[in-house]
C-alpha cells in the first residue's frame, strides 16, 4: 500500500509540472495570436515598405550582375523573404543587440540600413566592400553594426550565436542575439546542442527558423519528420512561436513579444517564420523541384511587399506616390551597381591581412 501511494504521489507531481511547462511553452504563441498584427504608425509602415522594396530591387540587380559574370561563386537571393528580416530587425536595439545568420545574408545587411554600395561592392569582390572584397556574397560581416556573418557552414551560425548570447550575459550589456537559420539547417546537430546550453544557461537569444519550405531543394515534408519547426525547442523547454513570415506586421508583432520575454530574463525563444523564396536555393539552382504555378501563386496571393502596399493605399497613399518610391529605390540600387563595377579590386597584399597568426 505504501509503495502504491508513493507511486501515485510521484505521478501527480509530474503531471502538475507538465501542465505548468505546457503553459510556459505556449504562452508566447497565445499572446501573439491574441493580437497578431503590430500596430504600426503610418511612418513605420512606409519605412517597412521602403526597406523591403530596397531588398527586393537590390537582390534583383544582384541576380542580373551574377548573370553578367560580375558576381562569382555562390549567390543566394532573399527575394520573397523580405518581411522576416525587416520585421525582426526593426525591433532590435542596434546599440546593444547582435545578429548572426547563414549565407543568405544580403537582406539582413540591408535591413540594418547599411549602405547598399558597400554590400554590392562586396558581392563583386571589390576593395570597397564591407569585408574588403574577401568575403563575397556568403560572408558579410560588420562588427560596427554587431552583425557577425554571413556563414557558409550550414547551421554553424547557431552555435556561434549561442556564444554571442553568452557574451551579452557575461558582459551584462542588456543585449540579445538574434540567430537566423533555415529549415534545412534545423536538422543539424549543433542546433540542438546550442538549444540545450542556451536553456541551461538562460541565455538572451532568439532563434529564428526562416522556413522557406525547400531548404537546398528538398521540401520539408520529405526531409523533416517534424515540420512544425517552432516545436523543436520543446524538449529543451524553449517556448516556440509560429509566425506568418510573409506579413511584416505579424513578424514585427512576434518580435515585440519574443524580445520582451528574453529581455525580462525569460531565456531563449524559438520563432518559426513561414516564408517562401521565389528563386532557387542559389543562382545555380533551376528549382525544378516545384512548379512555376506554385511560385506564381505565392507571388500573386502572399507577396509581403504587395500586401503592405495594399495597407498603405488603404491609408491614403496613391499609386503614383508608391511608384515614385519604387523609382527612387531602383535608382539607388543602380547607383550601388555602378559603384561596385567601377571600384578597384583588392590589392594582392590584402591576402595577408585579417589573418590570425598569434600563438596561444
Amino acid at each position: 500500500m505504501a509503495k502504491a501511494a508513493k507511486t501515485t504521489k510521484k505521478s501527480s507531481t509530474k503531471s502538475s509540472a507538465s501542465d505548468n511547462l505546457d503553459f510556459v511553452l505556449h504562452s508566447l504563441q497565445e499572446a501573439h495570436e491574441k493580437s497578431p498584427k503590430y500596430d504600426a504608425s503610418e511612418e513605420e509602415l512606409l519605412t517597412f515598405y521602403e526597406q523591403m522594396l530596397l531588398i527586393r530591387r537590390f537582390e534583383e540587380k544582384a541576380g542580373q550582375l551574377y548573370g553578367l559574370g560580375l558576381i562569382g561563386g555562390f549567390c543566394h537571393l532573399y527575394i520573397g523573404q523580405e518581411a522576416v528580416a525587416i520585421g525582426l530587425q526593426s525591433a532590435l536595439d542596434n546599440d546593444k543587440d547582435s545578429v548572426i545568420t547563414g549565407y543568405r545574408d544580403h537582406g539582413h545587411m540591408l535591413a540594418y540600413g547599411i549602405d547598399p554600395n558597400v554590400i554590392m561592392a562586396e558581392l563583386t569582390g571589390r576593395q570597397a566592400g564591407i569585408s574588403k572584397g574577401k568575403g563575397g556574397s556568403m560572408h558579410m560581416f560588420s562588427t560596427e553594426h554587431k552583425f557577425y556573418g554571413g556563414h557558409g557552414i550550414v547551421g554553424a551560425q547557431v552555435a556561434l550565436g549561442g556564444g554571442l548570447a553568452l557574451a551579452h550575459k557575461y558582459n551584462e550589456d542588456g543585449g540579445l542575439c538574434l540567430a537566423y537559420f533555415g529549415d534545412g539547417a534545423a536538422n543539424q546537430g549543433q542546433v540542438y546542442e546550442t538549444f540545450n546550453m542556451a536553456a541551461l544557461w538562460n541565455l538572451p537569444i532568439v532563434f529564428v527558423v526562416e522556413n522557406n519550405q525547400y531548404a537546398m531543394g528538398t521540401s520539408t515534408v520529405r526531409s523533416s519528420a517534424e515540420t512544425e519547426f517552432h516545436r523543436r525547442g520543446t524538449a529543451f523547454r524553449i517556448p516556440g512561436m509560429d509566425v506568418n513570415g510573409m506579413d511584416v506586421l505579424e513578424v514585427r508583432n512576434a518580435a515585440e513579444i519574443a524580445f520582451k520575454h528574453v529581455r525580462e530574463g525569460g531565456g531563449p525563444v524559438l520563432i518559426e517564420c513561414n516564408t517562401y523564396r521565389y528563386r532557387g536555393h542559389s543562382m545555380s539552382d533551376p528549382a525544378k523541384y516545384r512548379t512555376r504555378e506554385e511560385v506564381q501563386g505565392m507571388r500573386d496571393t502572399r507577396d509581403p511587399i504587395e500586401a503592405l502596399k495594399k495597407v498603405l493605399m488603404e491609408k491614403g497613399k496613391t499609386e503614383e506616390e508608391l511608384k515614385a518610391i519604387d523609382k527612387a529605390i531602383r535608382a539607388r540600387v543602380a547607383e550601388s551597381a555602378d559603384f561596385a563595377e567601377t571600384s578597384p579590386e583588392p590589392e594582392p597584399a590584402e591576402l595577408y591581412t585579417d589573418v590570425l597568426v598569434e600563438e596561444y
Side-chain angles (χ1 to χ4, degrees):
M1 286 293 291
K3 188 174 182 179
K6 185 177 180 180
T7 303
T8 303
K9 184 178 180 181
K10 182 178 179 181
S11 175
S12 175
T13 303
K14 192 170 184 179
S15 175
S16 175
S18 297
D19 291 343
N20 182 57
L21 176 60
D22 186 70
F23 170 77
V24 171
L25 290 173
H26 293 90
S27 59
L28 298 185
Q29 181 67 23
E30 290 166 3
H32 176 59
E33 291 179 354
K34 186 176 181 181
S35 181
K37 300 265 190 179
Y38 175 68
D39 185 17
S41 66
E42 288 192 32
E43 182 180 354
E44 285 178 310
L45 288 171
L46 198 58
T47 299
F48 295 161
Y49 180 74
E50 291 171 345
Q51 289 177 316
M52 287 197 295
L53 197 56
L54 174 61
I55 294 174
R56 178 72 57 89
R57 300 299 179 231
F58 183 95
E59 294 290 66
E60 288 170 348
K61 177 62 73 174
Q64 292 173 9
L65 296 185
Y66 190 93
L68 293 170
L70 292 169
I71 296 175
F74 289 100
C75 184
H76 306 81
L77 302 182
Y78 204 64
I79 297 173
Q81 300 181 212
E82 299 88 353
V84 178
I86 298 303
L88 289 167
Q89 287 174 229
S90 62
L92 289 174
D93 182 333
N94 291 335
D95 293 326
K96 298 178 181 178
D97 301 330
S98 59
V99 172
I100 193 165
T101 187
Y103 40 74
R104 197 181 303 278
D105 55 359
H106 319 157
H108 302 97
M109 296 290 281
L110 290 166
Y112 259 128
I114 294 172
D115 186 354
N117 285 13
V118 299
I119 302 175
M120 195 67 86
E122 187 60 39
L123 290 177
T124 53
R126 309 301 170 125
Q127 175 70 36
I130 200 159
S131 297
K132 300 180 183 177
K134 295 185 287 187
S137 170
M138 298 170 68
H139 303 287
M140 304 281 181
F141 204 91
S142 174
T143 52
E144 177 188 353
H145 293 87
K146 296 182 176 61
F147 182 85
Y148 296 97
H151 289 273
I153 304 302
V154 176
Q157 73 274 16
V158 181
L160 294 171
L164 289 169
L166 180 60
H168 285 304
K169 184 170 184 176
Y170 182 83
N171 293 323
E172 298 181 345
D173 59 17
L176 61 80
C177 176
L178 184 61
Y180 294 93
F181 60 105
D183 49 288
N187 294 321
Q188 292 287 323
Q190 67 263 40
V191 171
Y192 300 95
E193 293 172 357
T194 308
F195 282 3
N196 187 52
M197 287 188 287
L200 274 173
W201 298 340
N202 202 44
L203 298 183
I205 185 168
V206 176
F207 300 104
V208 180
V209 185
E210 293 193 82
N211 181 5
N212 61 26
Q213 316 302 319
Y214 286 98
M216 288 182 69
T218 304
S219 67
T220 56
V221 294
R222 293 183 60 215
S223 61
S224 297
E226 173 57 274
T227 58
E228 300 293 329
F229 293 98
H230 58 280
R231 297 176 181 172
R232 295 286 187 99
T234 304
F236 306 96
R237 304 192 177 194
I238 297 176
M241 300 180 72
D242 185 17
V243 180
N244 176 9
M246 301 299 275
D247 186 327
V248 69
L249 299 181
E250 287 201 30
V251 177
R252 174 58 187 266
N253 187 69
E256 294 283 332
I257 294 168
F259 292 1
K260 181 175 184 291
H261 175 88
V262 173
R263 294 192 199 284
E264 291 179 350
V269 175
L270 173 61
I271 298 177
E272 177 186 356
C273 287
N274 289 284
T275 183
Y276 196 85
R277 56 172 170 77
Y278 295 164
R279 301 289 185 92
H281 171 68
S282 69
M283 287 298 296
S284 59
D285 172 19
K288 292 181 178 180
Y289 41 81
R290 58 187 182 181
T291 64
R292 290 183 180 180
E293 289 75 18
E294 178 186 312
V295 178
Q296 192 58 49
M298 291 294 292
R299 282 183 175 271
D300 292 342
T301 62
R302 297 191 60 199
D303 186 80
I305 296 174
E306 288 301 314
L308 192 58
K309 179 179 179 181
K310 183 178 179 182
V311 172
L312 284 166
M313 293 184 73
E314 288 172 353
K315 290 186 175 292
K317 290 291 178 184
T318 65
E319 185 75 38
E320 289 70 26
E321 288 176 307
L322 297 178
K323 280 184 178 178
I325 291 171
D326 191 7
K327 183 178 179 181
I329 288 174
R330 287 177 185 272
R332 180 68 188 90
V333 169
E335 178 189 319
S336 73
D338 291 341
F339 174 82
E341 289 180 51
T342 57
S343 294
E345 294 181 350
E347 294 292 332
E350 275 293 344
L351 284 170
Y352 303 99
T353 65
D354 306 314
V355 178
L356 183 64
V357 294
E358 297 177 45
E359 294 182 2
Y360 294 93

